[in-house]
Amino acid sequence: MTSTKQSLIQAFVNLVNEKDFEKITIADLTKGAHVNRATFYAHFNDKYELLDYIVREYISTAIINRTKGEVTFDQQGIAKLVLALCDFYQQPSMNCRSSYIALVVPQLTDKAIIELRAYLLKGLESLCSAEEVAFYAPIFAQVIHESALQWATGKVTLDKEKMAERTAVLVVNGFHSSVSSLS
């Protein structure tokens, strides 16, 4: 990531802690990042695209940090995905003003599921047909995401490692059970 993008991201994170998302202007962002408007527009079309970039980047980084880029569809690999999402939802920058959270939560869910699905597509491709991969990946992405979200919102009292382990068993054993019942 370029230092300019990093400056814009930091300016955004600082601003959403101070004011409502709707009231943040490009001038606020460029002032906080110490760049001019043209520089902002060289990287992003608007503040919504910046927000989208931040969400994607944070989720992707959390997954890479936990999985070390290794794509596996086993209990350990799935548990790492759950923990990555827990890490993501625990980030201090996610604890911002309510207007930001109301806007970003649907985006967080969508982007997290897209990232998880991409990972799962790779992990499943050697285990089943393309049609089955297309069927299972979005379902498992939803399960993994929901598990992490339940933990992050305090709806699950298990520690995150135990919750990740249980989710991994559910996903992997459910997959094997489903595949063997179709054979």
Side-chain angles (χ1 to χ4, degrees):
M1 186 180 327
T2 67
S3 63
T4 302
K5 277 189 178 177
Q6 189 58 47
S7 295
L8 289 165
I9 289 168
Q10 191 57 53
F12 178 84
V13 169
N14 293 342
L15 285 165
V16 295
N17 285 308
E18 297 170 12
K19 62 195 314 189
D20 290 339
F21 177 82
E22 298 80 23
K23 294 182 180 171
I24 295 173
T25 65
I26 301 304
D28 293 334
L29 290 165
T30 57
K31 181 180 177 185
H34 307 291
V35 298
N36 63 39
R37 287 180 81 81
T39 301
F40 176 88
Y41 288 116
H43 293 280
F44 303 103
N45 290 321
D46 54 30
K47 67 183 180 181
Y48 297 96
E49 189 175 306
L50 170 61
L51 174 62
D52 186 61
Y53 178 84
I54 291 168
V55 170
R56 267 194 342 266
E57 191 66 27
Y58 282 13
I59 293 169
S60 181
T61 298
I63 291 173
I64 289 168
N65 287 343
R66 279 289 180 168
T67 65
K68 308 292 185 237
E70 295 176 24
V71 178
T72 59
F73 189 84
D74 57 19
Q75 287 181 10
Q76 185 178 7
I78 299 303
K80 286 178 184 179
L81 287 177
V82 174
L83 292 170
L85 268 281
C86 290
D87 294 346
F88 169 70
Y89 280 119
Q90 257 186 315
Q91 291 185 67
S93 59
M94 293 297 110
N95 300 322
C96 302
R97 295 174 61 88
S98 60
S99 67
Y100 167 71
I101 294 301
L103 173 74
V104 83
V105 165
Q107 273 194 293
L108 294 178
T109 299
D110 293 346
K111 299 302 176 201
I113 290 170
I114 288 167
E115 289 293 324
L116 289 169
R117 188 171 41 222
Y119 179 96
L120 292 166
L121 287 169
K122 292 177 195 166
L124 286 166
E125 66 187 7
S126 65
L127 301 174
C128 52
S129 71
E131 184 178 303
E132 290 171 316
V133 169
F135 172 73
Y136 288 118
I139 293 169
F140 294 149
Q142 292 278 349
V143 169
I144 292 165
H145 178 265
E146 186 61 28
S147 176
L149 189 60
Q150 292 290 318
W151 177 84
T153 58
K155 294 176 182 164
V156 172
T157 58
L158 294 171
D159 67 45
K160 67 182 176 183
E161 285 77 16
K162 182 63 80 181
M163 185 264 316
E165 182 182 312
R166 286 185 179 185
T167 303
V169 168
L170 174 69
V171 168
V172 173
N173 289 351
F175 169 73
H176 290 303
S177 177
S178 179
V179 169
S180 67
S181 73
L182 297 174
S183 306

